[in-house]
Amino acid sequence: MTMRIPVLLLVGCLCSVEWVQAQEKKSSKDLPPIPEIKLDRKEPVVYQKDIEPIFAEKCMYCHSGNVIEGKYDMSTYAGVMKGGKRGAVIIAGKSSESILYHFSSRQKKPIMPPKSEDPLTPEELALLKLWIDQGAKPPTGVREKAKIVLNFPPALVKPVRAVAVSPDKSIVATGRGNQIHLFDAKTGNFLKSLVDPNLKHPDGKPAAAAHMSLVESLEYAPDGKTLISGSFQEAILWDPATGAIRKRIDGFADRVVAIAFSDDSQRFVTGGGAPTEDGEIKIFKIDGTPEFEVKSGHSDTVFGVRFSPDGKMLATCGADKFVKVWSVPDAKLIKSFEGHTHHVMDVGWKADGKFLASAGADNAIKVWDFEKGEQARTINGHSKQVTRLMFVGKTPMFITASGDQQLKMWNVDNGGNVRNFGGSKDYLYAVSVSTDGSLVVSGGEEGITRLYNGTSGAIIKEMVPPADGKPEVKPDAKPEAKPMPKK
């Protein structure tokens, strides 16, 4: 019997090994190991009752969903036991040989969670140790979902998970941490932030943020009149001109990690869902009124959604490794594409509707022939998971962002690498491009939004909001530009 284990989205994380090591080099004083205590406990440690809540609060922020640092997915028991790029981190029955225990107890580096976050308490550490020593047993039986307690993210957690270029190329919107900032697309200068006035800290002070949790997705309507942001269990429709909230949509099971509009700006679709549970695909009218839902479309989180150019179909992809195409608006499955060996993180249509491209956590980009219902080619151009993908207007070009810090442009017709966009120094999560391809924007773990000249590949500006208190970031050397191929 297969058990599905729910995930709590709470603040606090096991950050990437690289980030943690960099932070630890900033301080010459090491933190002492967490004191070991012995629990006066006779009953066995139960995974879903005692251990999973610890992982949810202290680890899953960076080790579940569309962020799987160190290739270590902790959203399921199977993932916890499988380990990541270091191999297995838990040796059942032997906590003294389990590196997860060493890192969590601060006995070895990199310590996890990092110095800036709350560590495991001695009691939590003792439970983890006892569970491992008792054989690291799997969950048993069926339990109810635990109540979700959501807090504001720590001040240092400011990844750029979502970016969007306005249709008229005047504005760049960026979701940084739980905030949304608008920049001038020509100069890169900061314009304003979008703020939910009802958000307040526990002490009653205004939060000056767009969402309580991280901004996971961001998209302009093709007519430029609406901007939608997705976060944990909610999406907000904004008036981009005034910054006012038009409507808040709640009732989502988990994070809203993908948003897409139909070309006529009459409807939009959201993708998400809790890891290891049925993915969510919901379609709304432009005013936020629910229109229809694709029930049980994917057996895991949906990471990518995109309407076909004619608006009559919807392509989706998810953690179940499938790309699927549905009819609109009756939500009937038309075709299913299988070939990725890990989560499928994003999907897009070529303008003529003949081909789709998908981005995978298996580091691969796959091109699918829609009419034939088969794979046309695989593009192996990244060394880490491909996190986002976006086609360039009516051209056969599309751009990908990856955890390998690379932003690249490709030709879907032949799989050729057209151009690269340099300057990133950490994991990339987001990409957006103007319909004419003249502006390209990226965002990632650095918390910096980079604005590029889409034709030359040169950096126009690296953008952070002035409220961050950091000096303006100067662009790196301009990367070598490649000529745009003839169409």
Side-chain angles (χ1 to χ4, degrees):
M1 177 179 178
T2 300
M3 167 167 283
R4 293 180 177 176
I5 306 170
V7 176
L8 309 181
L9 182 66
L10 300 169
V11 174
C13 66
L14 268 170
C15 286
S16 67
V17 171
E18 293 83 359
W19 187 88
V20 174
Q21 289 174 333
Q23 297 303 306
E24 296 204 353
K25 288 180 180 178
K26 294 180 181 180
S27 174
S28 60
K29 185 177 180 181
D30 292 328
L31 293 174
I34 297 172
E36 292 189 11
I37 64 172
K38 188 174 181 179
L39 293 178
D40 182 15
R41 181 183 178 118
K42 296 180 180 179
E43 67 274 15
V45 180
V46 179
Y47 179 81
Q48 64 264 41
K49 177 183 177 183
D50 301 310
I51 302 302
E52 188 186 19
I54 298 174
F55 291 160
E57 184 174 2
K58 303 292 175 70
C59 313
M60 288 185 186
Y61 170 76
C62 286
H63 292 276
S64 70
N66 61 339
V67 184
I68 306 176
E69 301 289 3
K71 297 183 179 180
Y72 189 29
D73 186 352
M74 300 183 73
S75 64
T76 65
Y77 170 81
V80 169
M81 297 304 294
K82 180 180 179 181
K85 68 180 182 181
R86 292 173 176 264
V89 298
I90 293 175
I91 307 299
K94 299 178 180 180
S95 62
S96 61
E97 299 179 18
S98 301
I99 60 175
L100 179 63
Y101 177 73
H102 294 159
F103 293 162
S104 300
S105 62
R106 293 180 169 174
Q107 295 179 20
K108 292 185 179 181
K109 294 182 180 179
I111 62 173
M112 298 184 181
K115 292 180 179 181
S116 60
E117 310 300 336
D118 293 333
L120 269 65
T121 65
E123 291 76 13
E124 290 173 334
L125 184 63
L127 271 175
L128 176 62
K129 183 178 188 299
L130 187 56
W131 173 67
I132 295 174
D133 289 337
Q134 290 180 353
K137 295 179 181 180
T140 57
V142 179
R143 67 172 175 82
E144 295 181 358
K145 279 190 176 183
K147 182 179 180 181
I148 297 173
V149 179
L150 190 64
N151 296 311
F152 287 101
L156 294 177
V157 178
K158 295 180 179 179
V160 176
R161 292 274 186 88
V163 292
V165 179
S166 65
D168 63 1
K169 301 190 300 182
S170 65
I171 304 293
V172 171
T174 175
R176 184 172 187 259
N178 63 346
Q179 301 178 330
I180 297 175
H181 306 295
L182 304 185
F183 296 87
D184 187 299
K186 293 182 179 179
T187 64
N189 293 333
F190 173 79
L191 297 175
K192 64 181 178 181
S193 298
L194 303 184
V195 175
D196 180 351
N198 296 316
L199 277 182
K200 299 184 184 300
H201 289 288
D203 60 5
K205 294 182 179 179
H211 294 273
M212 177 173 282
S213 189
L214 301 185
V215 179
E216 302 282 353
S217 49
L218 203 58
E219 190 86 359
Y220 273 99
D223 62 11
K225 297 179 181 179
T226 305
L227 176 67
I228 300 184
S229 59
S231 185
F232 182 64
Q233 295 188 336
E234 69 175 10
I236 294 180
L237 280 66
W238 304 85
D239 182 328
T242 65
I245 294 177
R246 287 180 179 161
K247 187 169 185 176
R248 182 191 312 279
I249 306 172
D250 54 21
F252 297 96
D254 203 271
R255 291 171 292 176
V256 179
V257 297
I259 297 172
F261 283 90
S262 57
D263 282 353
D264 61 7
S265 298
Q266 295 304 302
R267 57 165 60 106
F268 63 92
V269 57
T270 63
T276 75
E277 299 184 11
D278 283 345
E280 275 192 332
I281 306 168
K282 295 186 176 184
I283 293 84
F284 301 84
K285 294 180 180 178
I286 189 62
D287 62 0
T289 302
E291 191 171 8
F292 66 96
E293 183 173 355
V294 180
K295 297 287 188 179
S296 303
H298 289 267
S299 61
D300 210 329
T301 306
V302 172
F303 290 127
V305 291
R306 190 65 60 180
F307 284 106
S308 62
D310 61 9
K312 296 179 180 180
M313 294 179 289
L314 172 67
T316 62
C317 63
D320 61 0
K321 307 175 188 177
F322 282 94
V323 174
K324 297 183 179 183
V325 178
W326 314 85
S327 59
V328 176
D330 54 6
K332 291 183 179 179
L333 180 63
I334 299 175
K335 288 184 180 178
S336 181
F337 300 91
E338 184 178 8
H340 281 285
T341 59
H342 207 320
H343 300 352
V344 188
M345 307 303 296
D346 208 356
V347 65
W349 292 86
K350 186 184 175 184
D352 60 11
K354 294 181 179 180
F355 290 92
L356 296 102
S358 57
D362 54 4
N363 309 345
I365 303 162
K366 291 187 179 292
V367 178
W368 310 93
D369 186 315
F370 178 71
E371 291 299 328
K372 294 180 180 179
E374 62 186 28
Q375 182 176 315
R377 65 183 55 87
T378 295
I379 303 173
N380 294 307
H382 290 285
S383 60
K384 289 188 178 180
Q385 65 175 308
V386 189
T387 52
R388 283 297 168 196
L389 174 154
M390 189 172 187
F391 272 87
V392 183
K394 303 295 183 181
T395 76
M397 311 304 163
F398 66 93
I399 299 180
T400 55
S402 170
D404 64 6
Q405 307 175 21
Q406 300 297 309
L407 192 70
K408 298 185 176 185
M409 181 183 287
W410 311 89
N411 186 321
V412 74
D413 291 335
N414 57 31
N417 181 203
V418 178
R419 184 172 298 111
N420 298 332
F421 302 83
S424 300
K425 298 179 177 63
D426 208 335
Y427 206 100
L428 287 177
Y429 298 122
V431 63
S432 184
V433 58
S434 60
T435 54
D436 64 358
S438 63
L439 293 177
V440 174
V441 181
S442 71
E445 188 64 29
E446 289 177 275
I448 296 172
T449 302
R450 286 185 173 83
L451 177 63
Y452 297 90
N453 180 309
T455 303
S456 69
I459 296 176
I460 297 174
K461 195 165 186 179
E462 296 183 339
M463 305 178 293
V464 293
D468 191 54
K470 295 181 180 179
E472 180 178 316
V473 182
K474 298 298 182 182
D476 295 332
K478 295 181 180 180
E480 181 181 353
K482 294 183 181 180
M484 193 78 164
K486 295 181 180 180
K487 300 177 184 177

